[in-house]
């Protein structure tokens, strides 16, 4: 690339010093030079440099202008586009002659792809040298226009010279390849002051210091203030709110509902920032990978931004680009939150409300996962395996060779929302498979889409595609088994067993205040309320959430992950109801669970599994008999010894034994006195009666002293 100012003088001098033996036009080593212009100041500077270069060789100068249609998606140019082209055809020849005299010629094309049109024209006109300014067409205002210089340099089949036409007073404010990759972050103290100011603005201190006197109405007002503050504080605090929305054990229902609606409202990244991140992650100019990228983002979040794009091979994709400042801002907020958790986590009053350290750990892990786009790529691949057995469900393919922790390239799902799926058997089958797949995800695989709202479910090629796997839920084996039992209890309408399952889910807890009959009655009432309702009312998500509320009101703490499961079920059932409102979710659950349990039983009955379990049983039986032999003294080793260390227990056992002895002897003596009363000797009944009376008296005195 050459600087226009430094080379202009050299070219002018070379042109002046040309000897009279310079070959005529079209006979030298460079016969034709082409320059693309768009009427801007920078393209004019490139054109004048190209004119001097062409004059040096006595070459013809072709000046090309491409008219880009106002609607690039239209199949044909509009009348206004043709009018612009006619005006350019009237003016361009004169401009070309002003640059190169009779050797100058103007060409005008209408094309939505200016780079492609210029390259095609260079081939058609057999151009030897193609000159282009480094700022491109109209200062790189749009992706499609902004990639002209690089696309030409990579695809033209002639010599390409890129001229540096930049000036400080003429260059655009944001040149994509010169933008700082990581803007300087504010100091931690400044961020802390900013957090304090926002908290004061929304009255968060008063919010937590005293309850609102208006009851539920006041709590809803307080919840809105908290949500607004968290949104303004940025991505870290928005994520904190989303985590708290899954913890009904920490916050009232009004807060849970409000925090669940948290929105990440962020202005879109500039194209300069998008280009900067892309090229750093790809390691090459983005035009080497992408043929075109839509300038308007599909979505702009706190961590990343999504654009439609087309690869150089023609494949349509979706590109997710991480904000350059996202990691720095989030890690800074996490450091502040960690300091708060360390300082405040030991306070007893706060410990009664929430486990701050646990919440911080959950927040940190969640955000670190979302900052690593390769984790989302892995989630997409794992979900593809989970739904592989369903012919009406799918997941977008991931372009792994193009994806990095800050750049994710996926297949574009070119469909429509699931609610717009055409009526028919495919739609009904997809609805049933969608619902059943969530039972499988939760109770079999332990890996489920945690945010399956209708916007993340698209209909394409007669299938439902799962989008946005940035938020997933993971459940361990014990919890999955208990959830399966819970669904079976609902299916069989067994309130007593459902109550027992909630006890299993809660683990160890203080049951001193629990009223089992009342608790079971409320669980049974919940079951009766929903079991015979229609699909619109019979939503498993709200059922789980309401059951969690009942359990908490009775002091039965259910795991927080159950709330996330309930939220996911609520969202997926909304989509299912849109597709097919006649589906009975408990019937789908029951049939699926039957198949799942039979499959598990068949797997356990396989020869390999049975041999393995037999060996385990053999080892455990041998160890059991060894232990018994040691306890009874038949094998060397420590015998069983039981020691009562509690003195009160030892004294109670002794007293009970003594009283039992007195009672038995007294009873026997009295019976003996009765049996011998008819004997000719008078002393035996008198003696037995006296002994029985004395022992009875001792027994009564001992019992009185024990009280």
């Amino acid at each position: 690339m050459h600087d226009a100012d430094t080379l202009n003088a050299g070219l002018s001098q070379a042109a002046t010093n040309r000897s009279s033996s310079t070959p005529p036009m079209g006979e030298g080593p460079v016969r034709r030079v082409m320059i693309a212009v768009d009427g801007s100041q920078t393209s004019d500077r490139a054109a004048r440099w190209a004119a001097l270069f062409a004059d040096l060789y006595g070459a013809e100068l072709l000046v090309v202008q491409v008219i880009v249609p106002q609607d690039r998606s239209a199949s044909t140019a509009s009348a206004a586009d043709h009018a612009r082209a006619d005006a350019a055809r009237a003016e361009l020849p004169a401009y070309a002659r002003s640059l190169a005299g009779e050797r100058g010629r103007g060409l005008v094309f209408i094309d939505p792809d200016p780079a492609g049109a210029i390259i095609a024209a260079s081939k058609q006109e057999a151009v030897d040298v193609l000159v282009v300014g480094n700022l491109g067409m109209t200062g790189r205002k749009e992706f499609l226009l902004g990639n002209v210089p690089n696309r030409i340099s990579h695809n033209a089949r002639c010599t390409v010279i890129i001229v540096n036409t930049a000036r400080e007073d003429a260059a655009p404010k944001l040149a994509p390849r010169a933008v700082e990759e990581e803007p300087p972050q504010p100091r931690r103290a400044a961020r802390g002051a900013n957090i304090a100011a926002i908290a004061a603005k929304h009255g968060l201190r008063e919010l937590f210091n005293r309850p609102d006197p208006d009851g539920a109405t006041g709590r809803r007002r307080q919840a809105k203030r908290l949500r607004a503050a968290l949104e303004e504080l940025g991505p870290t605090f928005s994520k904190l709110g989303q985590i708290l929305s899954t913890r009904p054990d920490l916050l009232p229902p009004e807060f849970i509902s409000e925090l669940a609606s948290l929105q990440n409202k962020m202005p879109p990244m500039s194209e300069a920032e998008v280009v900067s991140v892309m090229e750093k992650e790809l390691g090459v100019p983005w035009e080497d990978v992408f043929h075109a990228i839509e300038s308007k983002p599909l979505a702009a979040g706190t961590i990343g931004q999504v654009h439609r794009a087309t690869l150089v091979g023609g494949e349509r994709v979706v590109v997710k680009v991480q904000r350059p400042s996202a990691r720095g801002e989030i890690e800074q907020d996490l450091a502040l939150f960690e300091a708060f958790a360390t300082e405040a986590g030991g306070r007893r009053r706060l410990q009664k409300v929430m486990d701050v350290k646990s919440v911080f750990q959950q927040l940190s892990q969640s955000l670190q996962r979302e900052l690593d786009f390769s984790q989302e790529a892995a989630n997409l691949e794992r979900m593809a395996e989970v739904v592989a057995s369903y012919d009406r469900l799918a997941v977008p393919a991931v372009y792994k060779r193009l994806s990095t922790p800050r750049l994710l390239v996926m297949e574009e799902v070119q469909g429509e929302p699931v609610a717009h799926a055409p009526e028919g058997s495919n739609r009904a089958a997809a609805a049933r498979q969608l619902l059943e797949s969530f039972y499988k995800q939760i109770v079999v695989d332990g890996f489920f889409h945690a945010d399956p709202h209708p916007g993340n479910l698209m209909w394409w090629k007669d299938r439902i595609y799962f989008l946005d796997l940035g938020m997933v839920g993971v459940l361990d084996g014990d919890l999955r088994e208990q959830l399966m039992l819970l669904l079976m209890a609902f299916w069989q309408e067994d309130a007593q067993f459902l109550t027992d399952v909630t006890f299993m889910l809660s683990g160890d807890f203080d049951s001193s205040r629990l009223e089992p009959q009342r608790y079971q009655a409320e669980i049974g009432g919940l079951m009766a309320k929903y079991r015979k309702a229609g699909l619109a009312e019979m939503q498993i998500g709200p059922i789980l959430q309401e059951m969690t509320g009942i359990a908490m009101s009775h002091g039965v703490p259910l795991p927080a992950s159950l709330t996330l499961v309930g939220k996911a079920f609520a969202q997926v059932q909304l989509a299912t109801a849109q597709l097919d409102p006649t589906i009975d979710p408990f019937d789908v659950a029951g049939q699926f669970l039957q198949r799942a349990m039979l499959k598990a039983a068949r797997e356990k009955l396989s020869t390999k599994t049975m041999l393995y379990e037999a060996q385990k049983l053999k080892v455990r039986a041998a160890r059991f008999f060894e232990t018994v032999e040691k306890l009874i003294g038949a094998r060397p080793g420590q015998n069983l010894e039981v020691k009562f260390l509690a003195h009160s227990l030892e004294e109670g056992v002794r007293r009970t034994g003594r009283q039992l002895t007195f009672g038995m002897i007294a009873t026997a003596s009295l019976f003996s006195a009765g049996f011998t009363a008819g004997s000719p000797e008078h002393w035996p009944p008198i003696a037995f009666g006296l002994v029985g009376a004395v022992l009875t008296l001792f027994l009564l005195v001992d019992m009185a002293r024990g009280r």
Side-chain angles (χ1 to χ4, degrees):
M1 185 173 69
H2 304 284
D3 184 272
D5 289 331
T6 56
L7 286 183
N8 278 346
L11 287 173
S12 298
Q13 184 64 36
T16 302
N17 296 336
R18 273 190 301 140
S19 66
S20 59
S21 61
T22 298
M25 183 177 69
E27 296 181 4
V30 177
R31 298 185 299 274
R32 286 183 178 176
V33 176
M34 178 178 284
I35 176 67
V37 299
D38 63 357
S40 66
Q41 183 179 3
T42 53
S43 74
D44 181 67
R45 297 187 70 203
R48 295 186 183 282
W49 192 95
L52 290 172
F53 181 82
D55 185 57
L56 179 63
Y57 290 96
E60 182 181 7
L61 180 66
L62 303 180
V63 182
V64 176
Q65 182 172 356
V66 180
I67 303 299
V68 179
Q70 294 178 343
D71 183 4
R72 295 197 297 272
S73 62
S75 57
T76 58
S78 65
D81 297 327
H82 284 288
R84 290 165 52 211
D86 291 341
R89 291 188 182 98
E91 298 174 359
L92 197 62
Y95 177 68
R97 286 193 297 271
S98 71
L99 293 172
E102 295 301 321
R103 293 180 288 105
R105 183 156 60 97
L107 299 172
V108 177
F109 302 94
I110 301 177
D111 200 299
D113 180 5
I118 293 168
I119 293 170
S122 68
K123 293 179 181 178
Q124 179 180 338
E125 298 292 337
V127 169
D128 300 301
V129 177
L130 182 55
V131 180
V132 64
N134 68 317
L135 292 184
M137 308 290 285
T138 63
R140 289 188 73 154
K141 289 183 179 179
E142 296 184 62
F143 278 110
L144 189 59
L145 302 180
N147 63 18
V148 168
N150 277 333
R151 287 188 59 203
I152 288 176
S153 68
H154 284 77
N155 294 284
R157 294 296 178 263
C158 61
T159 300
V160 177
I161 298 177
I162 300 178
V163 180
N164 183 6
T165 59
R167 278 182 177 173
E168 292 185 2
D169 59 346
K173 293 181 179 180
L174 286 176
R177 303 184 193 277
V179 172
E180 290 185 20
E181 187 66 26
E182 297 290 343
Q185 301 296 323
R187 292 175 300 181
R188 189 177 298 179
R191 175 57 174 165
N194 174 252
I195 292 172
I198 294 174
K201 170 185 172 182
H202 293 276
L204 296 190
R205 176 172 295 182
E206 294 77 9
L207 174 65
F208 291 107
N209 281 348
R210 62 174 184 270
D212 196 292
D214 294 337
T217 302
R219 286 195 297 272
R220 282 192 290 271
R221 183 167 55 246
Q222 290 177 327
K224 291 182 182 296
R225 289 160 58 193
L226 176 60
R227 177 187 55 76
L230 293 177
E231 285 182 351
E232 187 172 348
L233 285 169
T236 308
F237 291 85
S238 293
K239 177 57 63 176
L240 173 62
Q242 292 172 359
I243 291 174
L244 290 175
S245 71
T246 66
R247 299 297 302 272
D249 54 325
L250 300 181
L251 295 174
E254 294 83 4
F255 283 80
I256 296 297
S257 176
E258 189 67 32
L259 293 180
S261 64
L262 267 169
Q263 299 293 325
N264 297 327
K265 299 177 181 178
M266 293 290 291
M269 297 162 59
S270 68
E271 293 179 6
E273 292 174 304
V274 174
V275 167
S276 178
V277 174
M278 278 185 173
E279 294 184 344
K280 184 174 182 180
E281 296 303 304
L282 293 170
V284 295
W286 69 269
E287 299 87 353
D288 287 1
V289 176
F290 299 100
H291 172 71
I293 300 177
E294 289 191 8
S295 58
K296 184 178 180 181
L298 286 173
T302 55
I303 292 179
Q305 184 164 300
V306 181
H307 289 264
R308 284 194 180 97
T310 305
L311 298 178
V312 291
E315 303 96 325
R316 292 176 61 175
V317 296
V318 170
V319 185
K320 186 175 182 179
V321 183
Q322 189 171 123
R323 290 182 181 272
S325 60
R327 180 171 291 277
E329 291 175 354
I330 287 174
E331 290 181 346
Q332 177 181 253
D333 284 348
L334 285 176
L336 289 170
F337 196 80
E338 183 179 19
F340 167 76
T342 302
E343 180 180 348
R347 298 183 181 181
R348 293 183 179 179
R349 291 182 60 186
L350 189 59
Q351 284 180 341
K352 293 180 179 179
V353 179
M354 72 173 69
D355 184 350
V356 180
K357 292 184 179 179
S358 175
V359 171
F360 165 72
Q361 184 178 11
Q362 186 178 355
L363 171 66
S364 178
Q365 292 174 349
S366 177
L367 285 170
Q368 292 297 342
R369 284 196 299 268
E370 291 197 32
L371 283 169
D372 185 359
F373 288 176
S374 59
Q375 182 66 49
E376 183 174 349
N379 292 341
L380 285 163
E381 293 181 334
R382 183 174 177 183
M383 184 59 69
E385 296 175 358
V386 171
V387 301
S389 59
Y390 297 101
D391 61 349
R392 296 300 168 193
L393 303 178
V395 176
V398 178
Y399 289 80
K400 295 180 66 174
R401 64 184 181 84
L402 302 178
S403 299
T404 73
R406 299 177 64 203
L407 182 69
L408 180 60
V409 182
M410 302 167 286
E411 172 190 20
E412 181 190 355
V413 177
Q414 304 163 39
E416 55 189 351
V418 289
H420 299 157
E423 297 289 344
S425 58
N426 290 340
R427 173 174 174 147
R432 190 175 187 87
Q433 290 184 14
L434 173 63
L435 187 57
E436 182 179 302
S437 75
F438 260 79
Y439 295 126
K440 180 177 185 293
Q441 292 174 41
I442 289 170
V443 302
V444 176
D445 298 288
F447 176 80
F448 64 96
H449 195 318
D451 194 25
H453 60 79
N456 282 338
L457 301 172
M458 298 291 289
W459 183 266
W460 187 41
K461 297 180 179 179
D462 290 332
R463 291 190 290 181
I464 297 174
Y465 277 76
F466 291 95
L467 307 182
D468 192 2
L469 268 290
M471 183 185 296
V472 297
V474 180
L475 304 174
D476 61 34
D478 290 341
L479 185 55
R480 295 202 304 271
E481 183 177 348
Q482 291 161 2
L483 284 172
M484 181 181 291
L485 295 175
L486 184 146
L487 292 172
M488 290 290 287
F490 260 113
W491 181 44
Q492 294 297 319
E493 302 182 58
D494 190 340
Q496 181 175 353
F497 184 57
L498 180 61
T499 304
D500 294 338
V501 174
T502 62
F503 291 153
M504 295 168 59
L505 286 166
S506 63
D508 295 330
F509 69 98
D510 182 9
S511 60
S512 58
R513 298 182 179 180
L514 179 66
E515 300 179 34
Q517 293 181 346
R518 182 182 171 193
Y519 176 57
Q520 181 175 326
E522 291 193 29
I523 292 292
L526 172 66
M527 180 178 291
K529 172 184 175 183
Y530 282 103
R531 185 61 187 93
K532 298 303 181 182
L535 180 63
E537 296 82 20
M538 187 176 54
Q539 297 183 4
I540 293 180
I543 292 174
L544 292 177
Q545 293 168 347
E546 193 169 337
M547 188 180 69
T548 301
I550 293 174
M552 287 177 55
S553 67
H554 286 268
V556 181
L558 297 181
S561 54
L562 187 63
T563 306
L564 190 62
V565 169
K567 178 183 176 183
F569 264 128
Q571 291 176 329
V572 78
Q573 195 153 356
L574 176 61
T576 304
Q578 291 178 341
L579 289 167
D580 187 356
T582 65
I583 290 180
D584 179 349
F586 290 103
D587 179 61
V588 175
Q591 294 185 27
F592 168 74
L593 293 173
Q594 277 186 322
R595 293 197 304 271
M597 295 175 72
L598 288 173
K599 181 180 179 182
R602 285 196 300 270
E603 291 176 351
K604 289 183 178 180
L605 291 175
S606 66
T607 305
K608 180 179 178 181
T609 304
M610 291 177 66
L611 288 173
Y612 174 68
E613 294 296 335
Q615 292 301 313
K616 285 171 59 178
L617 180 60
K618 177 182 177 182
V619 172
R620 288 173 178 172
R623 292 179 62 186
F624 172 75
F625 286 115
E626 287 177 7
T627 303
V628 172
E629 289 175 347
K630 287 181 180 180
L631 289 176
I632 64 177
R635 181 184 289 267
Q638 177 111 12
N639 294 333
L640 176 65
E641 295 182 2
V642 180
K643 295 182 179 180
F644 293 98
L645 300 179
H647 296 292
S648 59
L649 177 61
E650 183 178 1
E651 181 62 29
V653 171
R654 288 178 178 176
R655 183 182 301 112
T656 302
R658 183 171 62 248
Q659 292 173 356
L660 182 61
T661 303
F662 286 163
M664 292 176 65
I665 296 174
T667 302
S669 298
L670 293 174
F671 272 111
S672 298
F675 287 139
T676 59
S679 65
E681 300 290 337
H682 295 289
W683 66 268
I686 296 174
F688 282 124
L690 183 60
V691 172
V694 172
L695 291 176
T696 301
L697 180 61
F698 282 163
L699 178 61
L700 294 174
V701 172
D702 193 50
M703 292 176 64
R705 290 175 59 188
R707 293 180 181 176

